[in-house]
Amino acid sequence: MLLGPARKGGMGVFKDIQELEPAECGSFTAKGLMKRRYWQLKAMPHTESLTDTMGHLRYLLVDSINRQLVSDVPLCTFLSGGLDSSLISAVAARKYAKEGRQLSTYSVDYKDNRRNFVASSFQPDEDAPWIVKMSRHIGSAHTNVEIDSPLLADALIPSMRARDLPGMADVDSSLYLFCGEVKKNFTVAVSGECADELLGGYPWYHKKELLYSDSFPWSQSTAERAELLKSGILGDITPGEYVKSAMKQTTDRTSYLDTDKENDRAMRRMFMLNFYWFMQTLLDRKDRCSMAHGLEVRVPFCDHRIAEYAYNIPWELKSLGGREKGLVRKIAEEFLPKDVVWRKKSPYPKTHNPDYMKLVFEQFRMLSAEKDFRLPEILDMQKINELISSEGRSFEKNWYGQLMCTPQMFAYLIQLEIWLREYNPEIIL
């Protein structure tokens, strides 16, 4: 409840169940489990010029994309009209054209989104026109998957089952439904995850108050989350200190150079938090919601060579021109129309249909009226009822990231309720 849908790396949810963290391997003998870390990010001096840096990163990106296109089964790419998926699709389309083939691309949208869309600092414009432009630019055979609100709400439970935990609410359920449609024609897809984490795309890299925050920049709601919990359930845990401790366990592993200035050190810490927290949440989401349908989704930005190189690119180069992922944008000018290259970042699309919020509220009310309602075991139902009566307005902060706001918070609680019923954990205080 304090970190979700993220969770501490290496820890399962059930008592005495652990997991291997990224870049760990394990061997089990009569002496027990021995874990070993075989790879980690290391600070190295960056001595290349801007021109050489662009050439080096371009090579890594194109090489990684082309490697991920190797497949003996039908393959497509996801295309949102944003920088990352557009770059991947453009590189893939070039390769396919040389082989006399046409690339297939897929996008996801929501019924009535055009009518209900409201611009924000996170989502400044719609994806749809940009997707059309990019598909025409690269000559792809494009399919747009449109999802209606009732289907999106109904998929909250199967997407929770796919993840084995409450997740990113409709951000998960939409991906779950989308992947189900893609799998009807393709077995492998290529997607643009991880570029923002590795190459400075998120607002928390660019806003000092988030860069130097003492809580996770994508989840600034620790106090509000804690207030929803049942009295006494935290024992001697202090919410703010618990979150800070979780962050510190990661940032303590940060590798620095002696020459790093204060901002350089802050950027390295933020890189580590994104790499081991936010990125892992998104990769788990992508893998589980796709493989639930037998669709393999590859993420070429998540290449260890790119991660190693990006970790040491100076921020003034990474944010070239004062823009998020400015260096990648400059490289992408070779492949994409300029207005696509310099389009302001827009995250994974979500529904703006008010019908979805109504459906989620109603679903939650119905669950709360049932005899086997489990959430009161961990939540303060007076607080929850206040949230319902105010339709979430009493919870002012985003639940998680750029996409999980009021309706997603209730959707998360729906997933948590069904998880408690179906997985039936015994909560030990």
Side-chain angles (χ1 to χ4, degrees), residues 310-338:
Y311 185 66
N312 291 296
I313 297 175
W315 181 246
E316 58 269 20
L317 298 185
K318 202 179 286 187
S319 60
L320 197 65
R323 286 297 304 273
E324 67 281 358
K325 289 184 296 191
L327 186 63
V328 182
R329 293 178 190 277
K330 198 66 180 171
I331 294 168
E333 286 184 338
E334 175 189 341
F335 300 91
L336 309 176
K338 276 205 169 184

Side-chain angles (χ1 to χ4, degrees), residues 18-277:
Q18 300 177 34
E19 67 178 1
L20 294 174
E21 289 193 75
E24 276 190 345
C25 59
S27 58
F28 196 84
T29 68
K31 295 179 180 179
L33 177 65
M34 303 295 291
K35 295 195 289 186
R36 178 174 63 85
R37 184 173 299 280
Y38 60 85
W39 178 90
Q40 58 188 348
L41 293 163
K42 185 177 180 181
M44 302 285 287
H46 186 88
T47 58
E48 295 173 335
S49 66
L50 171 58
T51 301
D52 289 342
T53 300
M54 285 180 58
H56 193 160
L57 183 58
R58 180 198 181 280
Y59 166 76
L60 291 175
L61 291 172
V62 173
D63 183 67
S64 182
I65 293 167
N66 285 330
R67 285 169 180 259
Q68 300 284 3
L69 295 174
V70 176
S71 175
D72 56 2
V73 293
L75 179 147
C76 65
T77 65
F78 291 172
L79 179 62
S80 71
L83 176 66
D84 311 322
S85 67
S86 295
L87 179 57
I88 288 172
S89 297
V91 172
R94 278 193 186 185
K95 186 175 189 297
Y96 270 40
K98 289 178 182 177
E99 299 169 355
R101 295 189 289 164
Q102 183 184 28
L103 178 71
S104 292
T105 53
Y106 276 77
S107 61
V108 62
D109 203 356
Y110 305 88
K111 188 176 180 182
D112 295 330
N113 243 22
R114 179 163 295 183
R115 187 195 329 163
N116 295 300
F117 180 81
V118 177
S120 69
S121 59
F122 286 140
Q123 289 188 300
D125 57 12
E126 293 182 86
D127 286 336
W130 298 95
I131 293 168
V132 172
K133 179 166 189 164
M134 271 306 305
S135 179
R136 288 174 179 168
H137 177 72
I138 63 177
S140 70
H142 188 72
T143 302
N144 182 57
V145 177
E146 186 177 82
I147 301 172
D148 200 1
S149 295
L151 197 60
L152 189 63
D154 288 344
L156 285 172
I157 306 310
S159 66
M160 179 277 294
R161 292 178 184 136
R163 291 195 69 165
D164 278 317
L165 284 171
M168 296 184 76
D170 57 81
V171 186
D172 282 355
S173 57
S174 62
L175 180 64
Y176 176 87
L177 293 169
F178 177 52
C179 289
E181 290 299 310
V182 175
K183 182 57 170 66
K184 291 177 181 179
N185 298 299
F186 291 89
T187 308
V188 176
V190 185
S191 184
E193 267 82 4
C194 305
D196 290 311
E197 289 86 354
L198 302 181
L199 293 156
Y202 288 125
W204 38 83
Y205 277 106
H206 299 263
K207 297 181 178 179
K208 283 209 166 185
E209 68 274 17
L210 295 177
L211 182 63
Y212 290 95
S213 172
D214 60 358
S215 61
F216 290 104
W218 47 82
S219 182
Q220 297 279 301
S221 54
T222 300
E224 290 84 355
R225 287 165 173 255
E227 286 182 358
L228 299 180
L229 289 166
K230 182 179 177 181
S231 176
I233 197 167
L234 288 178
D236 59 358
I237 293 174
T238 303
E241 293 304 314
Y242 176 81
V243 172
K244 288 178 188 176
S245 173
M247 288 179 60
K248 190 172 184 299
Q249 286 176 25
T250 300
T251 56
D252 280 352
R253 289 155 49 181
T254 306
S255 175
Y256 303 104
L257 293 176
D258 292 339
T259 54
D260 283 345
K261 297 178 182 177
E262 182 183 12
N263 192 67
D264 300 322
R265 294 174 68 87
M267 287 297 176
R268 291 194 191 276
R269 288 192 297 271
M270 183 59 74
F271 192 109
M272 292 288 286
L273 290 175
N274 277 268
F275 192 82
Y276 284 103
W277 286 86

